Structure formats: C-alpha cells, structure tokens
Amino acid sequence: MLKLSWWKYLTMALLFYTLIVGLLSDVPRLDIVNESIRNLYFHVPMWFGMIIILLVSMVYAIKYLRSNQELHDIYAVEAANVGILFGILGLVTGMVWAQFTWGTFWHGDPKQNASAIALLIYLAYSVLRSSLEDEQQRAKISAVYNIFAFATLIPLLFILPRLTASMHPGNGGNPGFNSYDLDSRMRMVFYPAVIAWTLLGWWLVSLRVRFSKAKNQLRTEAHAAQSEQLIND
Amino acid sequence: MKKYLISLLFILSSISPSIAQAPEMADAMRSNGKIYVVVAVLTIVLAGVLFYLISLDSKISKLEKELKD
C-alpha cells in the first residue's frame, strides 16, 4: 500500500467534505442566484487557489534569482502552470454562472475582463519560456517576468474592479472587511473549500516538479553517457 | 342483498385510499429533486480523479526510486 503524506489525506477529506456538505447544507434563500449560490464553494476557490499558487510561483522566481538553482526555476514554472489551469477553470465556471444569473456568458464585468487580461499575461509567460533556447537565460528572464506578472495581477483583480461598478459581490466601492454578506453557515464550507482546492493544486504542482526533476536527471545521465562514449571513441 | 353490496362498496372505498398510497420504499435518493443522485455522481467523479492522482503519485515515486539506484 502506497504511503501518502498526511496533507494529501487532508486534501481528499476536505474535497469530499466540500462536495457533499457544499451541496446538501443549508444556504441563504436569495432571488436570482437561488441554489447557484453554492457555486461559491467551487468557482471562488479556483481564484483563491490560483492567487495562492501564483504567489508561490513568484516566491520561487525570486528564490531562483537569488540562488540560480535549477530546482527553484522548476517550482516557479510548474506552479505557474497549475495557476493558469485554475485561472482557466475559474473563468469558465464564472462564465456558466454568469449566463444563468447575469444573462450572458461574457457580461463584460470589470472583474471578468480583468481576470481574462491577467490570464493572458500569464499565458505570455509560457510563450516567453518556450521562445528561449538557453536554459539559464530562459530561467532568469522568465523569473523577472513572473515577478512583474504577479505585480499586475493584484491591481487587475483587487483594485481596478473596485474603482468602477461591478456585479461581483464586494466590488464596486470599498468593501472594507465585514461588509461581505457571506453567511456564517457558508463560511463553514467556503474556508475548507479554499484550503481543499489550494492543496489539490499544490499536489499537482509537486507531482509535476517531481516528474520534471526525473526527466532532467535522465537527460543529464544520457548526456554524460554520450560524452563518455565520445571520449572513448 | 342490496344492503350488503352497499356496505361492501363502502368498505372498499374506505380501503382504496390506502391502496392508492405508494408502498414505503427507500426514497432518500429520490427526495429533494433527486439532488442526492447528483451528490453521488460528483462523489464518484471526485473519487475517480483522486484515485488517478494517487496512482500517478505512486508511479512517479517508483520512477524516482529507480533513478536513485
């Protein structure tokens, strides 16, 4: 039997909790959103997870610039990849929710537009990486880009949508801290849901990092064998 | 004779509502607009994806062990 680290069991338990309690527990009865209010447990954690994982990516980018260790670059890129995946899932789930509550898939809501721009900025990170041949140059340039990408993410998602009218709750005007009308029953599922989806994202990152490391090791071993043969010949 | 028939009809009509009533079954999965069916389906999907993730995890672990040797 495979032994998993404790946090992976925690991830699975929290995911099942989110799904079952999230669908069956009592929620506020509101017009327009109706039962779709439960999307709070599935759509919003995608964005929370994305931001946390992209923050980790940026931290590893800074670490790479300080240490020049290849492993830090691998962490940065794989975290960015999972962050992009969560962002796409957040965008698509948001579009479905918008269709049935706001009336159109693309409402042009400031937060919707800004998150699409943020995703494009991160997709450009992938394009930038694949356009650079030299490994060290690629790692260094993309680490610098990563820091700027995260720096633009914050105003795009948290500041600009608050400066204009937005359909997203807590946006348009200054929400302060306690004016979120998040029900205390919903918090009991929402916070575990955020932890669950973020940990699942981190699980994916760790698998991709381990896969990348193994691939790199194979490549360097093959290189070493090849050059040894060249010397012998 | 007629009296008997009427009383028989009377008895039958008093029974019939209990006949029309559905026999008691395990209806938990069908209640509340069958939301429990959706919960079951999503739980299965999540379990399947997590199982796949665990097997991927173990495969990578094995690969790492092989590379170490």
Side-chain angles (χ1 to χ4, degrees):
Chain A
M1 182 58 198
L2 174 78
K3 267 186 84 177
L4 291 172
S5 342
W6 63 272
W7 63 271
K8 288 175 183 168
Y9 289 109
L10 178 72
T11 308
M12 291 190 277
L14 286 175
L15 278 174
F16 281 113
Y17 170 82
T18 302
L19 207 149
I20 295 166
V21 181
L23 287 177
L24 298 181
S25 66
D26 257 350
V27 288
R29 286 155 192 269
L30 302 173
D31 284 332
I32 300 169
V33 282
N34 305 101
E35 288 282 1
S36 84
I37 197 169
R38 295 180 198 276
N39 277 350
L40 179 80
Y41 310 138
F42 305 99
H43 162 72
V44 185
M46 292 297 130
W47 295 110
F48 275 60
M50 179 195 84
I51 290 157
I52 294 167
I53 287 167
L54 289 181
L55 173 70
V56 172
S57 173
M58 186 201 66
V59 169
Y60 272 104
I62 295 170
K63 272 176 126 174
Y64 175 78
L65 289 176
R66 290 170 65 102
S67 70
N68 267 327
Q69 271 185 44
E70 194 195 8
L71 183 63
H72 291 155
D73 181 53
I74 295 175
Y75 266 105
V77 65
E78 297 304 358
N81 282 335
V82 173
I84 290 169
L85 170 73
F86 271 42
I88 290 170
L89 289 175
L91 207 66
V92 174
T93 52
M95 280 171 70
V96 174
W97 201 2
Q99 166 69 18
F100 296 103
T101 49
W102 299 345
T104 48
F105 283 108
W106 203 265
H107 186 265
D109 181 78
K111 203 159 199 167
Q112 209 174 17
N113 286 341
S115 53
I117 295 165
L119 263 183
L120 286 176
I121 289 170
Y122 269 94
L123 286 173
Y125 171 80
S126 296
V127 175
L128 176 70
R129 281 192 76 91
S130 57
S131 68
L132 292 166
E133 282 281 320
D134 184 69
E135 273 164 39
Q136 288 209 340
Q137 196 186 28
R138 181 204 302 150
K140 204 164 266 181
I141 291 174
S142 64
V144 174
Y145 183 90
N146 194 334
I147 296 166
F148 280 102
F150 192 79
T152 57
L153 190 71
I154 301 305
L156 277 171
L157 293 184
F158 297 109
I159 300 171
L160 292 177
R162 292 206 168 120
L163 296 177
T164 53
S166 171
M167 300 282 277
H168 275 89
N171 289 274
N174 189 349
F177 268 108
N178 277 320
S179 67
Y180 287 106
D181 42 2
L182 186 52
D183 188 86
S184 62
R185 285 168 297 174
M186 295 194 80
R187 283 177 209 269
M188 294 297 290
V189 185
F190 176 65
Y191 294 141
V194 167
I195 297 168
W197 292 110
T198 308
L199 282 177
L200 182 72
W202 186 249
W203 192 350
L204 292 173
V205 172
S206 71
L207 282 186
R208 290 194 59 128
V209 166
R210 284 162 63 193
F211 177 75
S212 269
K213 268 163 72 182
K215 207 167 78 177
N216 281 2
Q217 196 186 335
L218 273 178
R219 199 177 292 159
T220 45
E221 275 171 17
H223 263 289
Q226 213 171 24
S227 47
E228 205 173 312
Q229 203 163 19
L230 277 176
I231 293 162
N232 288 344
D233 287 344
Chain B
M1 189 62 198
K2 205 176 175 187
K3 220 163 82 182
Y4 283 116
L5 264 177
I6 288 171
S7 56
L8 190 70
L9 265 173
F10 214 78
I11 290 164
L12 273 178
S13 66
S14 67
I15 292 168
S16 63
S18 65
I19 292 171
Q21 214 167 46
E24 196 178 325
M25 301 288 277
D27 278 329
M29 294 292 277
R30 291 180 201 85
S31 64
N32 286 329
K34 293 182 185 162
I35 184 67
Y36 296 102
V37 179
V38 181
V39 175
V41 167
L42 287 178
T43 309
I44 292 164
V45 169
L46 182 63
V49 170
L50 287 178
F51 175 78
Y52 193 78
L53 197 64
I54 292 168
S55 75
L56 198 64
D57 201 319
S58 75
K59 267 183 193 164
I60 292 177
S61 294
K62 264 181 215 151
L63 189 72
E64 282 171 336
K65 218 177 259 172
E66 251 175 68
L67 278 173
K68 232 173 226 169
D69 299 335

